[in-house]
Structure formats: structure tokens, C-alpha cells
Amino acid sequence: MILKSISVDCVIFGFDNQSLKVLLSRQNPEVILNQINQQESWEEVKHLFENHPSFSNNPSWNVIGAHIPSTTDLDAFAREIVENATGMNDVYLQQFHCFGQVNRVPNHRVITIGYYALINPTHHLIRKSVAVKALEWFDPTALPPLAFDHAEIVQKALESLRQEVQYRPIGFHLLPEQFTLTEFQSLYEVILGKKMDTRNFRKKIANMNLLIDTGEKQKNVSHRAAKLYRFDMDVYEQLKREGLKFRIE
Amino acid sequence: MILKSISVDCVIFGFDNQSLKVLLSRQNPEVILNQINQQESWEEVKHLFENHPSFSNNPSWNVIGAHIPSTTDLDAFAREIVENATGMNDVYLQQFHCFGQVNRVPNHRVITIGYYALINPTHHLIRKSVAVKALEWFDPTALPPLAFDHAEIVQKALESLRQEVQYRPIGFHLLPEQFTLTEFQSLYEVILGKKMDTRNFRKKIANMNLLIDTGEKQKNVSHRAAKLYRFDMDVYEQLKREGLKFRIE
DNA sequence: TCAAAAGTGTTTTATCTACACCCATGG
DNA sequence: CCATGGGTGTAGATAAAACACTTTTGA
């Protein structure tokens, strides 16, 4: 059974070395429904999804989401939604807010639980499955018209990400496995919306011991090749346990 | 109509100058139901509430909560719940997490949205209405057996509070209108679970200009009477806007 | 006059900020 | 050899931490 009053919306963020992007959809309800929830009675699900922002037939864009089946855990369902849209299932997912105004969706009382996801779009190509009518990256500060309260949802996701990124070293989830310090800094500049001093930034990062020099370098760049680093998961886990004295601002 | 799959649980925190407390309930479902939702069909509501942790007949304690009617905004309903339990409606309320494991409540799929509230229990007496079978303050680190996943809910509320209190000056919501610097410090010590240096703490607070000297002093204390301060709401609002460089750790 | 908590400054140490030039690479 | 971004250190300012004694009050 699908729970009619509850949906999950996933604000999927990506970073392409220049800017932060958010993935929005215009979808084909019939196809994706078959796929997500084969055990459901078609009519019931169709009704629900047609009335849900993510599957509505109107021309506006939507945050990617769906109504949750009664047999799926909340976190697991968010993961399912992201995997369905992108083909990736090892993404960083964070529940950030539950939206519950009575009139956020016309004609239906739908409470939606918002998650944001961090993925690296350049290294994992988005799977444009048959289910997807349209799936595109947008600049979160210049969104197209969005369905219902989805602009608010993206806004709040962005705020939560900005908050979180300052105190937890989660930014690397938006980067490929190997990255340069400049990319790392640029990530923070883009998310926080301000320029930082290169030397000071590098000093701070170095003190945290979160990055490992891979010994490799960029190739085929028309300038001095930058060193490539990767994230040290052990230090990351340790920092998380110790209350993490990670701070970037 | 009551939404059967969605409840709101409010973890109500209080501070009595020595320790942080959390308000838990054992309630009389029949009476409170009449009160909360007179327009509902009795049988439907009774069924729901009897199966909801906050209104179950088992002897364990519950976080104070209820199922949300389809006609009430989420935030407003949380406020209603707190007002119903305490008689206070100007409390600080913060949504902190949505709990959605399939089996968190046996036999029913109930997703619950968790809020925490900060109140000052010494100055606003908890109204023990007819609806309340039992309502008591507990040490959040030494809870009685709690229904379902309510221990986890309290735990997560506490973690969220600890997080939030360090970066936003919300602590004063737990204090009476006028308070001493020692009380203010003690509040932080209790929430964060560690002793702080008095002189350094006072320096920090003084730099923020968040407190106003009322000119008054404690009375009838058997030691030097401390100055009484109150919160400066204007500075508070300003700090909130400016991204608040408030930090206590 | 005693007990109990209030109140107050200075020195040391760590962290943050501002700032400018040389280096490596491909075209 | 030029354009482009990569990479580095130091000095001054600011904030954090450590630390002990005097004051006020009621009993």
C-alpha cells in the first residue's frame, strides 16, 4: 500500500568544478510507476502520482520524489528515489526537513520529507532511463518555475547544505575520487558563495589531515599540473566520532 | 480527518537551574481525545490513539505526541500539542527529525515528525489538565522505559539541541525572564555536559551584547546577591540575520 | 566571623587574516 | 616564450585558554 499523505522529495546536488547544480525532473508517470512499485494496483498509484508534484503533467519542474509505500523504511526509500533517477546508490543522503503546510499541494494533504543528496555528476553519468521524461541540472539560484512549494524545498536544502558543509567534512561527496586542492576550495566557494584565500584555505585543510596525496597529477592541462588528492575515510570517521573540530567559514 | 500514518512527537525540555529535564507522559486517551479533536468520529480517533505511543495503555512513558488532522499545519500542530500538555503557547519549537522506520510502531506504519520544545518549568507551571494521566520531568540521561522508539527520539532531540545551542543563542528560552550569569553558564554546562571557565565564559557573553543588566539583584540568598540579566531580543534578531557569529563550546 | 557563591585581569598560546611572487605545463 | 592556473611563508591581529584572589551577603 502506498501512503497517500506522505511523500519523500530528494534534492540532488551536483558539482561540476564550476558551480553547484540541482537535479530536477519532468517525468513520465506511467512508466516510472510500473518500475518503482510493481506490486501496487495501477489505478491507485496512478491517481496518487498524478497528484504529486514529481509526477504531475504540468510543465513546471519538480524536485525528484515519490509517495512512500508502507513497507519501505524512510531512509531506504529516499535512497531508492535517488538510485531510480541517477543509477547511483552510494550517494550521501541527508534528511533535512519535513514540509507540512496544509495547502502546500492543492486538493491533497501531503506531508513531504525532504532529503538532499550529494553526487558527483561528472564521474557518474545520470542514467536517463525510459522513465524519465526530462532530467536536468539547474543552478539553484536561478531555478525555473517549480511545482507547488518545491522552490522552498530547494531553498531549504541549500541552506541546510551550507550549514552542514561548514561543520562536517561532507563536501568531498560532491567531488570525484581524486581531486585537486583548487577544486576542493572552489567547491566551498561555490556552496558558501564567497571567495577564500588560497593559502589560508590550504593551511586549514592540511592541519586536518583529511586529504591523502595520491602521488598523481593532472594530465593534459595547459598549465602546471596540480597534485591529486583523495579523501582519508579513516580520519573522516575518527573526526565524526570525536565531535569533529572541522570548521570552514 | 486524522492522518493515520503521521504523528507529531514533541520532546519538551526544561531546565531547573541544576539539570536539564524532559517532559514525558502517560495519558488518558479518552479525555484528551475529546479535547484535541472534537470534530472527529470517536471510534476512528480512539483506534488511532490507542495504537499510538503517546496514548497507549501500556505502563511505559511516552514522548508527548499525537496524530495530525489533515486540516492542521505541521508546525501549528506541534505547538498545539505542547500547549495542550503544558498550557504554554509561546515556547521555542524546533523540528529536528522525521522518524520513519517501518517497524518503529508495531502493527502500524506510523511516520513521526519530531520537534523539541524549550520551556522554563519553574516560571510557567505545567497545567495538569484532566486529560493528563501522568506528566513528569525526567533526566534525559536516565530515562524510564519508553514506548517504541521514543528513547531514540529523545536521544536525537538531545543531540540536536546540543548542536543548536552552540551556534544559536536559543538557550535563554530555558531560563526565566531574569537570570544570573551563573545560571546562564550552568545551563550550557548542563546541556553540553562539561564545566566551563567562569571568567572566559563571561568575557564571551559580554562581547556578544546579548544580555541586558536589569539593575536588579537576587534576593534572600545566603551569599553575595548576583546581578539579574535579561535577554536582548533586538540583538538576538540582528544576530540571527547576520548569520550569527555566536559560538559557545 | 564564617560559609557560599559572585565577580574580576593578565599572560600565554593558538588561530585567523592579509598579502605577492615564483613554478610547471601545454600551446 | 607566453598564458594559465599551481603552489608556497611570514608578520600582525584576534581570539582562546589557563589561572587565583577579593567581595558581598545572610546566617
Side-chain angles (χ1 to χ4, degrees), chain B residues 10 20 46 55 64 76 89 92 111 114 120 164 167 172 219 235:
Chain B
C10 296
L20 187 70
K46 186 165 185 284
F55 297 88
I64 296 159
N89 80 356
Y92 178 82
I111 286 174
N120 169 247
E164 188 123 341
Y167 303 119
F172 74 95
K219 282 173 182 157
V235 175

mmCIF file of all heavy atoms in Angstrom, chain B residues 10 20 46 55 64 76 89 92 111 114 120 164 167 172 219 235:
data_model
loop_
_atom_site.group_PDB
_atom_site.id
_atom_site.type_symbol
_atom_site.label_atom_id
_atom_site.label_comp_id
_atom_site.label_asym_id
_atom_site.label_seq_id
_atom_site.Cartn_x
_atom_site.Cartn_y
_atom_site.Cartn_z
ATOM 1 N N CYS B 10 6.603 15.678 20.418
ATOM 2 C CA CYS B 10 7.301 16.844 20.938
ATOM 3 C C CYS B 10 8.124 16.484 22.165
ATOM 4 O O CYS B 10 7.567 16.101 23.198
ATOM 5 C CB CYS B 10 6.308 17.949 21.288
ATOM 6 S SG CYS B 10 5.440 18.569 19.839
ATOM 7 N N LEU B 20 18.980 19.527 33.171
ATOM 8 C CA LEU B 20 18.074 19.550 32.036
ATOM 9 C C LEU B 20 17.089 18.408 32.212
ATOM 10 O O LEU B 20 17.462 17.305 32.589
ATOM 11 C CB LEU B 20 18.875 19.360 30.742
ATOM 12 C CG LEU B 20 18.098 19.533 29.441
ATOM 13 C CD1 LEU B 20 17.719 20.975 29.212
ATOM 14 C CD2 LEU B 20 18.925 19.013 28.270
ATOM 15 N N LYS B 46 -10.200 7.006 18.468
ATOM 16 C CA LYS B 46 -9.867 6.126 19.584
ATOM 17 C C LYS B 46 -8.934 5.005 19.116
ATOM 18 O O LYS B 46 -7.913 4.718 19.738
ATOM 19 C CB LYS B 46 -11.163 5.525 20.145
ATOM 20 C CG LYS B 46 -10.990 4.687 21.408
ATOM 21 C CD LYS B 46 -12.342 4.478 22.064
ATOM 22 C CE LYS B 46 -12.235 3.755 23.390
ATOM 23 N NZ LYS B 46 -12.000 2.336 23.211
ATOM 24 N N PHE B 55 -0.505 7.524 23.526
ATOM 25 C CA PHE B 55 -1.802 7.305 24.133
ATOM 26 C C PHE B 55 -2.055 5.844 24.443
ATOM 27 O O PHE B 55 -3.154 5.444 24.752
ATOM 28 C CB PHE B 55 -2.885 7.836 23.195
ATOM 29 C CG PHE B 55 -2.762 9.308 23.007
ATOM 30 C CD1 PHE B 55 -1.956 9.833 22.025
ATOM 31 C CD2 PHE B 55 -3.411 10.172 23.871
ATOM 32 C CE1 PHE B 55 -1.819 11.202 21.884
ATOM 33 C CE2 PHE B 55 -3.284 11.532 23.728
ATOM 34 C CZ PHE B 55 -2.484 12.054 22.731
ATOM 35 N N ILE B 64 5.517 13.201 24.274
ATOM 36 C CA ILE B 64 4.174 13.732 24.096
ATOM 37 C C ILE B 64 3.896 13.972 22.615
ATOM 38 O O ILE B 64 4.614 14.714 21.959
ATOM 39 C CB ILE B 64 4.024 15.039 24.904
ATOM 40 C CG1 ILE B 64 4.168 14.716 26.399
ATOM 41 C CG2 ILE B 64 2.685 15.700 24.621
ATOM 42 C CD1 ILE B 64 4.529 15.891 27.248
ATOM 43 N N ALA B 76 1.961 24.168 13.374
ATOM 44 C CA ALA B 76 0.875 24.579 14.263
ATOM 45 C C ALA B 76 0.431 23.416 15.140
ATOM 46 O O ALA B 76 0.093 23.605 16.318
ATOM 47 C CB ALA B 76 -0.306 25.092 13.443
ATOM 48 N N ASN B 89 1.936 28.564 25.163
ATOM 49 C CA ASN B 89 1.963 28.553 23.708
ATOM 50 C C ASN B 89 3.015 29.451 23.090
ATOM 51 O O ASN B 89 3.107 29.559 21.868
ATOM 52 C CB ASN B 89 0.584 28.833 23.110
ATOM 53 C CG ASN B 89 0.248 30.295 23.101
ATOM 54 O OD1 ASN B 89 1.013 31.125 23.613
ATOM 55 N ND2 ASN B 89 -0.877 30.622 22.512
ATOM 56 N N TYR B 92 9.657 27.948 22.476
ATOM 57 C CA TYR B 92 10.533 27.768 21.327
ATOM 58 C C TYR B 92 10.391 26.345 20.825
ATOM 59 O O TYR B 92 10.555 25.389 21.580
ATOM 60 C CB TYR B 92 11.983 28.038 21.732
ATOM 61 C CG TYR B 92 12.972 27.832 20.606
ATOM 62 C CD1 TYR B 92 13.187 28.817 19.667
ATOM 63 C CD2 TYR B 92 13.693 26.651 20.488
ATOM 64 C CE1 TYR B 92 14.086 28.644 18.627
ATOM 65 C CE2 TYR B 92 14.596 26.462 19.448
ATOM 66 C CZ TYR B 92 14.790 27.464 18.532
ATOM 67 O OH TYR B 92 15.680 27.276 17.504
ATOM 68 N N ILE B 111 4.768 7.239 10.607
ATOM 69 C CA ILE B 111 5.928 8.106 10.479
ATOM 70 C C ILE B 111 5.716 9.266 11.433
ATOM 71 O O ILE B 111 4.638 9.852 11.477
ATOM 72 C CB ILE B 111 6.068 8.589 9.023
ATOM 73 C CG1 ILE B 111 6.580 7.428 8.165
ATOM 74 C CG2 ILE B 111 6.965 9.808 8.928
ATOM 75 C CD1 ILE B 111 6.626 7.711 6.685
ATOM 76 N N GLY B 114 9.502 14.713 14.613
ATOM 77 C CA GLY B 114 9.957 15.094 15.939
ATOM 78 C C GLY B 114 10.247 16.576 16.059
ATOM 79 O O GLY B 114 10.918 17.152 15.218
ATOM 80 N N ASN B 120 10.637 27.008 30.301
ATOM 81 C CA ASN B 120 11.160 27.229 31.641
ATOM 82 C C ASN B 120 10.138 26.731 32.647
ATOM 83 O O ASN B 120 9.140 27.398 32.907
ATOM 84 C CB ASN B 120 11.444 28.707 31.860
ATOM 85 C CG ASN B 120 11.731 28.975 33.313
ATOM 86 O OD1 ASN B 120 10.958 29.643 33.979
ATOM 87 N ND2 ASN B 120 12.789 28.405 33.827
ATOM 88 N N GLU B 164 22.522 22.782 18.275
ATOM 89 C CA GLU B 164 21.921 24.092 18.017
ATOM 90 C C GLU B 164 22.337 25.153 19.033
ATOM 91 O O GLU B 164 22.567 26.305 18.685
ATOM 92 C CB GLU B 164 20.397 23.943 18.027
ATOM 93 C CG GLU B 164 19.706 25.196 17.584
ATOM 94 C CD GLU B 164 18.779 24.985 16.406
ATOM 95 O OE1 GLU B 164 18.926 23.969 15.711
ATOM 96 O OE2 GLU B 164 17.907 25.834 16.211
ATOM 97 N N TYR B 167 25.509 27.191 18.337
ATOM 98 C CA TYR B 167 25.620 28.160 17.261
ATOM 99 C C TYR B 167 24.499 29.193 17.259
ATOM 100 O O TYR B 167 24.554 30.165 16.546
ATOM 101 C CB TYR B 167 25.652 27.437 15.909
ATOM 102 C CG TYR B 167 26.760 26.438 15.832
ATOM 103 C CD1 TYR B 167 26.517 25.090 15.631
ATOM 104 C CD2 TYR B 167 28.076 26.863 15.988
ATOM 105 C CE1 TYR B 167 27.558 24.185 15.576
ATOM 106 C CE2 TYR B 167 29.119 25.965 15.933
ATOM 107 C CZ TYR B 167 28.857 24.618 15.722
ATOM 108 O OH TYR B 167 29.895 23.721 15.674
ATOM 109 N N PHE B 172 18.419 30.784 26.206
ATOM 110 C CA PHE B 172 17.666 31.595 27.164
ATOM 111 C C PHE B 172 16.193 31.197 27.240
ATOM 112 O O PHE B 172 15.507 31.502 28.211
ATOM 113 C CB PHE B 172 17.790 33.082 26.815
ATOM 114 C CG PHE B 172 16.996 33.484 25.617
ATOM 115 C CD1 PHE B 172 15.721 34.003 25.780
ATOM 116 C CD2 PHE B 172 17.490 33.325 24.342
ATOM 117 C CE1 PHE B 172 14.966 34.374 24.680
ATOM 118 C CE2 PHE B 172 16.745 33.688 23.244
ATOM 119 C CZ PHE B 172 15.468 34.205 23.408
ATOM 120 N N LYS B 219 17.419 38.129 45.606
ATOM 121 C CA LYS B 219 17.045 38.461 46.979
ATOM 122 C C LYS B 219 16.992 37.190 47.816
ATOM 123 O O LYS B 219 16.714 36.107 47.301
ATOM 124 C CB LYS B 219 15.682 39.157 46.994
ATOM 125 C CG LYS B 219 15.825 40.618 46.584
ATOM 126 C CD LYS B 219 14.497 41.308 46.425
ATOM 127 C CE LYS B 219 14.737 42.751 45.963
ATOM 128 N NZ LYS B 219 13.574 43.306 45.289
ATOM 129 N N VAL B 235 19.097 42.487 19.726
ATOM 130 C CA VAL B 235 20.413 41.975 19.346
ATOM 131 C C VAL B 235 20.282 40.535 18.849
ATOM 132 O O VAL B 235 20.930 40.134 17.873
ATOM 133 C CB VAL B 235 21.388 42.043 20.537
ATOM 134 C CG1 VAL B 235 22.718 41.397 20.186
ATOM 135 C CG2 VAL B 235 21.600 43.491 20.958
#
